[in-house]
């Protein structure tokens, strides 16, 4: 992916996504040790990917539990959960506007290895989920479920991540102003 073309907005998206991911690990640190859904694609990253998608305006419920119960990744009840994979290759399309490339470059490679098969990635996620012990499953559902508490948690992650980006903007503006002042002093010999 061509990161030489990044601008300030890309950096802000990166900060947002990385902060969002770190908040998930702060709230659920044991997810870091739950393994990969695919080689190089940690389960906690998939949780963050789904959580970030299902906080965006206009998305309906994820229905993850219903999808797992249905045991058929091609079923209608799994249609929202299949969005974990995005349905396209990241590297060939230069897609850096979504969560995954900012958080986990090895996940992009793993994703692209099975790209074109949203069902394969969802199936790998479900297999990972089913291998978790029951308390870990409850934690995953506490963030990815359709209940009010899970939705509130996802929105709180969005709010905290947005605040991190706002703080970055303030610091960047202050730093740029200080640099301009220093250049001005250097030019005037002060």
């Amino acid at each position: 992916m061509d990161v030489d073309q990044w601008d300030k907005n890309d950096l802000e998206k990166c900060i947002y996504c990385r902060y969002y991911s770190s908040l998930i690990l702060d709230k659920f640190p044991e997810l870091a040790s739950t393994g990969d859904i695919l080689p190089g694609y940690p389960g906690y990253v998939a949780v963050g990917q789904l959580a970030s998608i299902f906080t965006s305006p206009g998305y309906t419920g994820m229905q993850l539990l219903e999808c797992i119960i249905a045991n058929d990744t091609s079923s209608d009840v799994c249609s929202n959960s299949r969005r974990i994979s995005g349905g396209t290759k990241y590297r060939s399309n230069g897609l850096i506007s979504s969560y995954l490339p900012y958080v986990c470059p090895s996940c992009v490679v793993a994703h692209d290895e099975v790209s074109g098969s949203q069902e394969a990635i969802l199936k790998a996620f479900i297999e990972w989920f089913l291998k978790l012990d029951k308390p870990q499953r409850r934690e995953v559902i506490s963030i990815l479920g359709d209940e009010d508490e899970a939705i509130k948690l996802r929105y709180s992650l969005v709010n905290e991540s947005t605040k991190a980006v706002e703080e970055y903007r303030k610091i960047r503006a202050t730093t740029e102003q200080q640099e301009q002042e220093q250049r001005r002093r250097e030019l005037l010999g002060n």
Side-chain angles (χ1 to χ4, degrees), residues 167-183:
E167 185 66 23
Y168 162 76
R169 287 179 186 147
K170 289 177 190 175
I171 291 170
R172 182 181 177 122
T174 301
T175 302
E176 287 174 352
Q177 183 179 9
Q178 290 171 347
E179 288 173 353
Q180 285 179 347
E181 289 297 322
Q182 183 175 345
R183 282 193 297 273

Side-chain angles (χ1 to χ4, degrees), residues 18 21 40-42 44-45 99-110:
R18 301 285 300 197
S21 178
Y41 197 142
Y44 79 88
V45 174
Y99 182 86
L100 202 58
Y102 292 121
V103 174
C104 180
S106 68
C107 298
V108 170
V109 175

Side-chain angles (χ1 to χ4, degrees), residues 4-87:
D4 293 332
Q5 301 299 318
W6 278 25
D7 62 17
K8 182 172 65 173
N9 290 333
D10 291 315
L11 187 56
E12 289 179 3
K13 289 177 194 172
C14 182
I15 291 167
Y16 176 91
C17 292
R18 301 285 300 197
Y19 199 81
Y20 192 99
S21 178
S22 70
L23 287 172
I24 289 174
L25 284 178
D26 284 348
K27 293 184 185 311
F28 307 105
E30 48 292 327
L31 283 180
S33 63
T34 57
D36 294 350
I37 66 166
L38 297 167
Y41 197 142
Y44 79 88
V45 174
V47 169
Q49 171 87 346
L50 282 168
S52 70
I53 290 170
F54 288 96
T55 311
S56 303
Y59 283 117
T60 57
M62 189 177 324
Q63 299 177 310
L64 180 62
L65 267 180
E66 291 83 357
C67 176
I68 293 169
I69 292 166
N71 197 24
D72 178 7
T73 56
S74 64
S75 68
D76 287 344
V77 76
C78 291
S79 63
N80 284 337
S81 299
R82 281 193 300 268
R83 293 185 183 172
I84 187 175
S85 68

